[in-house]
Amino acid sequence: MDSQSWIAIAVVFYCATVIAVAYFVFVVRKSNLFDPIGQYLFFLSLFSLPLPIRALLTEEIEGSVTPYLPTLMHYLPISLALTALSMPLFTLGYYSPWARRVARATPIPMRQPPERLGLAFMVLIGLSVLLLYLLTSEAGGFVPFLLLGYSSTEQTFGRGYLAVGLPWLFVASLFLLYGYSRTRSMRYLVSFIVALGGVVLIQLLIGNRAMLLYILLVVMIYVHYGIRPLRWKFLVPFALAVFLSLNVMGTLRGSGYENIGDFIEKTTASAERVSQDEAKNFFYTLTIGEFVVPFETLPQMVRTIGIEDVPWFGLSYIRAPIYLIPNFLFPDRPLPLASWYMERYYGGGLRLNEGRQFFFLAEAYLNFGPAGIIIVALFWGVLWGALRQWLARSELHPAAVLIYALSVGFMFRCIAGDFATLVAGVTQQSLAAALIGLLIAGGTLRRRAPPERAPA
């Protein structure tokens, strides 16, 4: 059989696997979409299926589709099959006794009224503004930095220790939502909506769709567990609307705005052009955009590791914590895997704000070959299962819900990225600010947890 026939078989195998696992997860075990395993199944499929399905239809290279697609056709079926096998392995680790043991060994927040949530919000805002002032001083200030639009992300490379001021603004706003979940005071809710609106406007100006999706996921997860459950009849149409909006935003975002009015004028003009184009503008991320990019790294590893290149035998995992060190303190640290991949297979990077994300299972294969898929899927299952068990053991304490939402909301970026994304990304961009805020608010931990109960 030719490559396309094998790809078709692999796609069917993947779909059958995800349906079987989803039935077990959602029907038998009564988990939900906002549990880590629900996010894993959804985003794993979203990052894995588009490239093989596209390869079934055409080998034409356009948009972000890899120019190596004809070379990788032979390796797509085995790559998709290995990805499919990661789902039952993840599920095995997720519901395993090991996950429960890790959760029991992790301290949980104590139930006491937080008294300084407003102070936590103000301190985090102050820290964020200071970091952003240092980041944007070379661009002439914060507003000129925002008016750079999409190209503003180039200013943040190598200066991530300052760029965290942007996501920290969002984390700060969550302490207002935290206050509302505790008191149901409209003062907290209105303040949160205003603060969140400012954060969203900033991200719209710089065209950061990944951050906007992260913001949306975190807020929805927090609302689901900390305020009131969200139902499917709301989630399905809302998710579709968000997906289409983020696709359109990708076609509208630009750079080099003169002022806010210029941003509105150019965006409106682009919107008129988009509305006149074909329907593919509403789905391009699935066909030629972001979702066809990360998965290419897995068949590339299958093609070369053990044949042209020597396995890394865990090196990328061992060195992941060094990316917690700011670049100015460790300027000679190794390239992240995404940058290494560009140099190794493309002969160098693209623009500073463009590139190839390195699929997390590709890193597993890079280090240990097919066995790496098994190891990493089981490890991830235990890790994320422990987080869900930990939330249940905390009895949905708002502080635990905050940490949980910030972590699970980051999963889609962890799937599309390497282990350093999980270790350094979620820590620097979210958890560090959250822990600072919780300490200021007066939060404390205890080692002994209450008797375990079934996850909500």
Side-chain angles (χ1 to χ4, degrees):
M1 290 190 294
D2 59 14
S3 296
Q4 287 190 322
S5 298
W6 282 112
I7 292 173
I9 293 173
V11 168
V12 172
F13 174 70
Y14 184 98
C15 292
T17 304
V18 73
I19 290 172
V21 173
Y23 178 84
F24 175 77
V25 168
F26 298 124
V27 177
V28 177
R29 296 304 299 257
K30 307 298 183 182
S31 296
N32 66 72
L33 183 62
F34 294 120
D35 285 346
I37 196 166
Q39 295 289 293
Y40 181 81
L41 295 177
F42 179 76
F43 282 108
L44 183 73
S45 301
L46 204 55
F47 282 111
S48 301
L49 287 174
L51 185 61
I53 291 176
R54 177 186 171 82
L56 280 175
L57 304 175
T58 177
E59 293 184 39
E60 180 183 357
I61 308 302
E62 59 177 323
S64 298
V65 177
T66 174
Y68 291 107
L69 182 58
T71 305
L72 299 179
M73 290 286 289
H74 181 67
Y75 303 94
L76 281 172
I78 183 62
S79 300
L80 192 59
L82 288 171
T83 303
L85 290 174
S86 78
M87 289 185 285
L89 292 169
F90 180 97
T91 305
L92 179 63
Y94 187 86
Y95 295 112
S96 70
W98 282 103
R100 293 191 291 273
R101 290 170 188 166
V102 173
R104 285 197 296 267
T106 305
I108 62 173
M110 292 185 65
R111 277 207 170 274
Q112 61 180 29
E115 299 176 348
R116 299 187 295 272
L117 291 174
L119 177 62
F121 168 74
M122 295 303 299
V123 170
L124 287 177
I125 289 291
L127 288 174
S128 300
V129 169
L130 175 61
L131 292 171
L132 292 174
Y133 170 78
L134 297 174
L135 173 69
T136 61
S137 57
E138 294 182 4
F142 186 58
V143 173
F145 170 80
L146 293 181
L147 294 176
L148 291 173
Y150 184 53
S151 63
S152 64
T153 53
E154 296 183 14
Q155 302 289 324
T156 66
F157 279 80
R159 309 175 74 194
Y161 58 97
L162 299 177
V164 296
L166 286 169
W168 282 24
L169 287 173
F170 168 59
V171 177
S173 73
L174 288 176
F175 280 87
L176 300 174
L177 186 60
Y178 185 141
Y180 175 72
S181 70
R182 280 293 237 182
T183 66
R184 293 300 194 269
S185 168
M186 292 303 296
R187 174 173 59 90
Y188 274 118
L189 181 59
V190 172
S191 299
F192 168 71
I193 292 173
V194 171
L196 184 65
V199 171
V200 169
L201 177 60
I202 290 172
Q203 298 300 332
L204 284 172
L205 285 169
I206 63 179
N208 192 339
R209 289 181 300 169
M211 188 62 195
L212 286 170
L213 179 58
Y214 179 59
I215 289 171
L216 179 65
L217 287 171
V218 171
V219 171
M220 291 178 71
I221 292 170
Y222 190 95
V223 169
H224 182 77
Y225 288 108
I227 299 176
R228 59 178 300 176
L230 299 176
R231 305 301 180 188
W232 281 105
K233 62 181 180 181
F234 163 78
L235 291 174
V236 172
F238 183 73
L240 180 60
V242 168
F243 175 75
L244 295 178
S245 299
L246 291 176
N247 274 270
V248 172
M249 178 185 166
T251 66
L252 300 182
R253 63 185 179 182
S255 59
Y257 305 112
E258 295 180 4
N259 49 51
I260 299 297
D262 186 43
F263 164 77
I264 296 174
E265 181 180 346
K266 289 181 177 179
T267 302
T268 302
S270 297
E272 292 177 354
R273 291 194 298 271
V274 168
S275 64
Q276 298 171 359
D277 289 342
E278 299 177 3
K280 67 179 183 180
N281 287 315
F282 294 93
F283 301 96
Y284 87 97
T285 53
L286 291 176
T287 56
I288 62 172
E290 285 80 354
F291 292 115
V292 301
V293 174
F295 189 72
E296 77 165 71
T297 58
L298 180 53
Q300 195 73 269
M301 295 302 102
V302 174
R303 183 180 72 85
T304 59
I305 297 302
I307 301 172
E308 299 177 10
D309 297 322
V310 177
W312 285 28
F313 298 109
L315 176 62
S316 71
Y317 297 109
I318 294 172
R319 75 183 193 186
I322 70 174
Y323 295 101
L324 289 166
I325 305 173
N327 189 65
F328 77 95
L329 293 176
F330 192 3
D332 296 324
R333 68 186 184 186
L335 289 174
L337 277 182
S339 301
W340 167 83
Y341 179 79
M342 290 302 299
E343 289 200 355
R344 170 66 179 82
Y345 295 96
Y346 287 82
L350 303 174
R351 293 169 55 194
L352 288 177
N353 59 339
E354 297 178 348
R356 297 302 204 202
Q357 295 168 300
F358 203 85
F359 193 55
F360 83 111
L361 291 179
E363 182 181 19
Y365 201 99
L366 169 66
N367 282 277
F368 302 111
I373 306 291
I374 299 173
I375 296 169
V376 169
L378 287 170
F379 172 77
W380 265 48
V382 171
L383 177 70
W384 292 103
L387 179 63
R388 182 63 184 91
Q389 292 287 337
W390 176 79
L391 177 67
R393 295 182 69 81
S394 75
E395 297 183 334
L396 303 184
H397 188 289
V401 175
L402 177 65
I403 293 172
Y404 175 87
L406 288 169
S407 301
V408 176
F410 209 84
M411 181 182 282
F412 78 98
R413 299 174 74 171
C414 297
I415 290 173
D418 59 4
F419 189 57
T421 304
L422 177 60
V423 172
V426 69
T427 303
Q428 294 174 338
Q429 294 190 30
S430 299
L431 292 186
L435 293 177
I436 291 172
L438 290 172
L439 287 174
I440 294 171
T444 57
L445 300 173
R446 62 180 177 188
R447 293 288 301 178
R448 294 179 63 87
E452 187 173 353
R453 68 178 188 179

